């Protein structure tokens, strides 16, 4: 090799080594930058979460001081009596001035603070409510005059965050109240507390990295359900007489079932959803709707009457001016009721099945006609629900969680959404023999409904309350509730019984459910009442019928050690 050739060779080798060194140095620098960014991002996460937690704690402290001042000047308030009143009784006492808004407000505030300490169900006390209380006399004509009311955190409230458990939505206060809150304030209600939810709202547990896990009022080792779990826990423990949740797949009905209260999913569009925050914009296949949650059905009906008014339609012209049909709600004609106690290839706990069977017997004894009903194309609908709610395979869901720590209740879901597309296709191919692409599920269901000449349907709702972190692993149970969001039928939940020792023993044949709901003896059992779209009053009337028959059976039979009849829980 000549001198020139040797020189070129050595130069290339030197440049090669330098290039490698430069590339390695660059990669190291890039990695260091990424590491610094990640560390800074986590610091920012923690900072924003701590700020939100401090704001919550401050709201409790201010509320406690105000409560103490009130009690020092009003030592004779009969709290037990006030807490025992139903919403209908409470509104009557307030309208007649037998009770003042102040004593009712502070009674429920004290109860809420006590309940929250045990259940971690609230995200903040609404400090604006103290100012609203001072001027509430101007709303005495309102249907809910002087009634303290609880709100799920994703309902927009002026100057308050609605984070949905996602860190990037912290420190973004709303410019205005949602339509439902505006109407409620005009009707004299006082929103005084906001309640907890699962991160991103797409789970039926109730935990997020900002506010933590909400506990079930009937068993502190169980979840309160979700996504309106904070509402259900607070109302179930007596801290609120009426509240608003939202429901996209059972989000109001499932926690109502877990916590022994009544929850109602109206026909989507009957109540305004303007200002109800969701992290999934534009999703139209599986419809979400706000709905009331309370201890009894009459309270749900009174809430609907208060909301369905000209002002709601004025504020949100997309809602119909369809006045509440009081005559239909109060009617007591015999009904023709379809029923089923399980769904094809969908897990159903023994207590869920038993609850439907026992209520069916009560309805037949009362003179109603019960007709077997088989849900139409349920597996097709399960596929459509999955593809409709997460049409992008969960990409938006994961994108929304960026910058947030992922709560343990979401780990199973997040792991599924992060699977490579090729693996998902393999799984879809394996499952394909069990499902076919849906046709018109709504018309098919209505056609069967008409063939059987049904008024309403009685069916199971997910329950009893799960152990922590299992809800995200058992999405196969969701068709029990989400079907009626897909169909846009109205549906509600009524507590009817408690889990028995026999129910617990029968769990052992359901391996998939065993770990999720074992240890549930004594927990609430509920049933679901369903009606066609825009038949909300009929659905509520059916729920009322179930509620009254169960109470009558309880009264006739007394306390039943076997758990056949629902026992009313006393948290006062």
């Amino acid at each position: 090799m000549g001198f020139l050739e040797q020189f070129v060779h050595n130069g290339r080798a030197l440049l090669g080594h330098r290039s490698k060194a430069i590339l390695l140095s660059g990669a190291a620098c890039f990695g260091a930058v990424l590491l610094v960014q990640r560390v800074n991002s986590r610091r920012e996460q923690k900072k924003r979460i701590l700020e939100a937690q401090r704001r919550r704690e401050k709201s409790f402290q201010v509320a406690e001081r105000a409560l103490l001042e009130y009690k020092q000047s009003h030592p004779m308030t009969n709290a037990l009596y006030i807490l025992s009143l139903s919403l209908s009784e409470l509104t009557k006492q307030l309208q007649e001035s037998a009770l003042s808004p102040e004593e009712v407000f502070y009674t429920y505030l004290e109860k809420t603070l006590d309940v929250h300490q045990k259940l971690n169900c609230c995200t903040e006390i609404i400090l604006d409510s103290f100012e609203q209380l001072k001027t509430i006399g101007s709303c005495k004509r309102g249907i809910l005059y002087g009634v303290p009311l609880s709100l799920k955190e994703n309902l927009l409230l002026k100057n308050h965050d609605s984070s949905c458990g996602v860190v990037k939505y912290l420190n973004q206060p709303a410019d205005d109240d949602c339509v439902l809150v505006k109407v409620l304030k005009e009707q004299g209600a006082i929103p005084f507390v906001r309640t907890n939810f699962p991160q991103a709202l797409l789970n039926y547990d109730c935990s997020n990295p900002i506010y933590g896990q909400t506990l079930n009022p009937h068993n502190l080792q169980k979840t309160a359900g979700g996504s309106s779990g904070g509402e259900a826990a607070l109302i179930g423990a007596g801290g609120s007489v009426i509240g608003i949740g939202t429901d996209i797949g059972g989000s109001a009905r499932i926690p109502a079932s877990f916590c022994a209260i009544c929850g109602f999913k109206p026909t989507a569009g009957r109540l305004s959803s303007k200002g109800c925050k969701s992290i999934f914009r534009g999703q139209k296949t599986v419809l979400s709707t706000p709905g009331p949650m309370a201890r009894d059905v009459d309270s749900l009906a009174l809430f609907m009457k208060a909301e369905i008014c000209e002002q709601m339609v004025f504020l949100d012209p997309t809602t119909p001016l369809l006045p509440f049909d009081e005559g239909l709600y109060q009617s007591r004609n015999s009904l023709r009721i379809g029923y089923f106690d399980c769904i094809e290839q969908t897990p159903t706990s023994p207590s869920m099945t038993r609850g439907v069977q026992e209520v069916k017997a009560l309805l037949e004894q009362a003179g109603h006609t019960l007709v077997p009903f088989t849900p139409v194309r349920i597996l097709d609908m399960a596929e459509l629900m999955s593809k409709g709610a997460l049409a992008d395979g969960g990409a938006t869901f994961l994108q929304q969680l960026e910058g947030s720590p992922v709560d343990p209740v979401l780990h199973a879901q997040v792991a599924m959404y992060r699977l490579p597309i090729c693996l998902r296709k393999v799984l879809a191919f394996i499952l394909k023999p069990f499902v076919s692409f849906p046709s018109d599920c709504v018309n098919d269901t209505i056609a069967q409904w008409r063939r059987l000449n049904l008024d309403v349907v009685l069916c199971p709702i997910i329950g009893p309350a799960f152990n922590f972190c299992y809800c995200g692993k058992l999405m196969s149970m969701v068709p029990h509730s989400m079907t009626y969001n897909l169909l846009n039928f109205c549906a509600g939940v009524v507590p009817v019984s408690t889990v028995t020792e026999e129910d617990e023993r029968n769990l052992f044949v359901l391996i998939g459910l065993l770990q999720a709901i074992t240890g549930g003896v004594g927990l609430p059992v509920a049933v679901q009442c369903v009606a066609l779209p825009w038949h909300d009053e009929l659905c509520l009337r059916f729920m009322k019928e179930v509620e009254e028959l169960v109470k009558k059976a309880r009264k006739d039979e007394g306390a039943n050690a076997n758990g056949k009849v629902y026992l009313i829980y006393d948290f006062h």
Side-chain angles (χ1 to χ4, degrees):
M1 182 182 296
F3 172 78
L4 184 59
E5 293 174 332
Q6 184 67 42
F7 179 80
V8 171
H9 176 75
N10 291 341
R12 285 176 176 172
L14 181 62
L15 286 172
H17 289 305
R18 286 181 177 176
S19 297
K20 289 178 182 178
I22 291 169
L23 287 173
L24 288 172
S25 299
C29 291
F30 183 68
V33 170
L34 288 178
L35 180 61
V36 169
Q37 288 179 340
R38 181 171 294 182
V39 170
N40 289 338
S41 175
R42 288 180 178 175
R43 284 177 180 169
E44 182 64 21
Q45 288 176 21
K46 290 180 180 179
K47 178 183 175 183
R48 297 177 80 172
I49 289 172
L50 283 172
E51 288 173 350
Q53 292 170 345
R54 287 175 186 141
R55 285 194 296 270
R56 172 167 78 159
E57 190 57 34
K58 182 181 178 181
S59 76
F60 292 145
Q61 292 171 355
V62 171
E64 286 167 355
R65 288 197 297 268
L67 175 63
L68 181 60
E69 291 176 6
Y70 178 82
K71 290 180 72 174
Q72 287 173 344
S73 57
H74 300 80
M76 299 302 291
T77 299
N78 191 344
L80 289 178
Y81 171 70
I82 292 171
L83 292 170
S84 71
L85 297 175
S86 68
L87 180 61
S88 298
E89 294 167 335
L90 184 62
T91 53
K92 186 173 185 293
Q93 297 266 325
L94 285 163
Q95 291 285 356
E96 295 174 352
S97 299
L99 290 172
S100 71
E102 289 78 12
E103 58 187 324
V104 173
F105 177 87
Y106 282 104
T107 293
Y108 270 101
L109 178 63
E110 182 175 29
K111 184 66 177 179
T112 287
L113 292 170
D114 178 61
V115 167
H116 173 72
Q117 289 297 316
K118 299 171 184 175
L119 305 181
N120 189 41
C121 53
C122 305
T123 63
E124 66 174 321
I125 300 298
I126 302 170
L127 299 183
D128 301 342
S129 61
F130 295 99
E131 292 302 315
Q132 188 189 353
L133 181 64
K134 294 176 183 178
T135 60
I136 199 64
S138 62
C139 298
K140 193 164 184 178
R141 292 183 181 180
I143 294 175
L144 298 176
Y145 164 69
V147 174
L149 176 139
S150 51
L151 305 172
K152 187 176 178 180
E153 192 255 15
N154 70 316
L155 298 169
L156 295 188
L157 197 64
K158 187 176 181 179
N159 298 325
H160 293 259
D161 291 340
S162 285
S163 70
C164 300
V166 178
V167 172
K168 69 180 181 180
Y169 290 132
L170 290 172
N171 302 331
Q172 294 186 25
D175 295 328
D176 204 355
D177 293 340
C178 69
V179 168
L180 291 184
V181 168
K182 287 183 177 181
V183 173
L184 288 168
K185 286 180 177 179
E186 284 295 316
Q187 292 284 20
I190 306 173
F192 79 108
V193 62
R194 303 176 86 198
T195 55
N196 207 20
F197 48 88
Q199 186 177 27
L201 306 180
L202 203 64
N203 190 284
Y204 58 101
D205 206 318
C206 191
S207 180
N208 63 77
I210 302 170
Y211 302 113
Q213 174 80 52
T214 296
L215 310 180
N216 190 293
H218 306 289
N219 184 331
L220 301 184
Q221 304 305 312
K222 302 282 185 175
T223 179
S227 61
S228 307
E231 279 298 316
L234 181 64
I235 296 167
S240 175
V241 69
I242 183 74
I244 314 178
T246 57
D247 193 308
I248 191 172
S251 299
R253 289 163 288 151
I254 295 171
S257 166
F258 284 13
C259 295
I261 67 169
C262 299
F264 182 56
K265 183 204 83 66
T267 307
R270 188 75 190 269
L271 296 178
S272 173
S273 292
K274 189 175 181 181
C276 298
K277 189 168 183 176
S278 168
I279 67 168
F280 299 102
R281 294 182 179 179
Q283 195 279 112
K284 300 294 184 183
T285 304
V286 184
L287 298 174
S288 176
T289 178
M293 303 171 74
R295 292 182 302 223
D296 60 79
V297 180
D298 277 341
S299 297
L300 305 179
L302 188 58
F303 175 93
M304 294 294 288
K305 282 184 276 189
E307 281 287 1
I308 299 172
C309 60
E310 291 184 1
Q311 189 198 15
M312 183 185 74
V313 179
F314 176 78
L315 293 171
D316 183 0
T318 65
T319 56
L321 184 55
L322 186 63
F324 189 86
D325 191 339
E326 182 70 22
L328 179 55
Y329 175 64
Q330 296 293 345
S331 68
R332 288 299 178 264
N333 297 330
S334 295
L335 297 172
R336 186 171 172 86
I337 304 166
Y339 75 92
F340 60 91
D341 58 20
C342 61
I343 299 178
E344 180 186 4
Q345 295 187 25
T346 302
T348 308
S349 70
S351 59
M352 291 165 64
T353 300
R354 179 178 56 81
V356 171
Q357 292 170 348
E358 291 179 358
V359 171
K360 169 186 173 287
L362 291 176
L363 289 164
E364 286 177 325
Q365 293 168 16
H368 300 285
T369 301
L370 276 292
V371 180
F373 179 86
T374 302
V376 175
R377 305 179 69 84
I378 196 68
L379 297 181
D380 290 350
M381 283 194 278
E383 183 183 23
L384 185 55
M385 284 184 276
S386 174
K387 290 182 175 179
L390 292 165
D392 60 0
T396 300
F397 183 86
L398 295 176
Q399 185 182 34
Q400 292 289 350
L401 292 179
E402 289 177 3
S404 295
V406 176
D407 194 88
V409 303
L410 289 185
H411 283 173
Q413 286 171 263
V414 168
M416 177 61 72
Y417 303 148
R418 283 178 175 164
L419 286 175
I421 294 176
C422 59
L423 183 54
R424 291 193 214 176
K425 288 182 177 180
V426 170
L427 291 173
F429 177 78
I430 294 171
L431 295 173
K432 194 64 179 177
F434 300 102
V435 294
S436 59
F437 191 79
S439 60
D440 194 333
C441 299
V442 177
N443 286 341
D444 288 350
T445 302
I446 292 174
Q448 186 192 30
W449 198 292
R450 296 303 190 203
R451 279 196 301 272
L452 296 173
N453 193 28
L454 300 180
D455 296 308
V456 289
V457 162
L458 172 72
C459 57
I461 183 66
I462 297 173
F466 281 27
N467 297 316
F468 300 125
C469 295
Y470 276 95
C471 295
K473 301 174 184 177
L474 275 171
M475 301 306 285
S476 57
M477 293 189 77
V478 166
H480 285 293
S481 55
M482 199 172 188
T483 298
Y484 306 108
N485 298 87
L486 176 68
L487 297 173
N488 196 23
F489 286 20
C490 46
V493 163
V494 182
V496 297
S497 184
T498 55
V499 177
T500 65
E501 294 281 0
E502 185 177 0
D503 293 332
E504 190 80 0
R505 287 192 296 271
N506 290 337
L507 270 179
F508 286 94
V509 300
L510 298 168
I511 302 301
L513 282 179
L514 182 59
Q515 289 185 318
I517 60 178
T518 189
V521 173
L523 285 175
V525 174
V527 295
Q528 186 167 212
C529 304
V530 182
L532 293 171
W534 307 107
H535 289 63
D536 303 270
E537 293 88 345
L538 178 59
C539 186
L540 288 164
R541 174 255 191 272
F542 180 34
M543 293 170 66
K544 178 68 174 175
E545 182 80 7
V546 170
E547 180 184 60
E548 288 178 343
L549 289 173
V550 169
K551 286 182 178 179
K552 182 177 183 299
R554 174 180 175 270
K555 183 178 179 180
D556 292 345
E557 298 181 19
N560 190 307
N562 293 323
K564 280 190 176 181
V565 180
Y566 168 63
L567 305 177
I568 295 176
Y569 295 88
D570 184 7
F571 289 90
H572 310 318

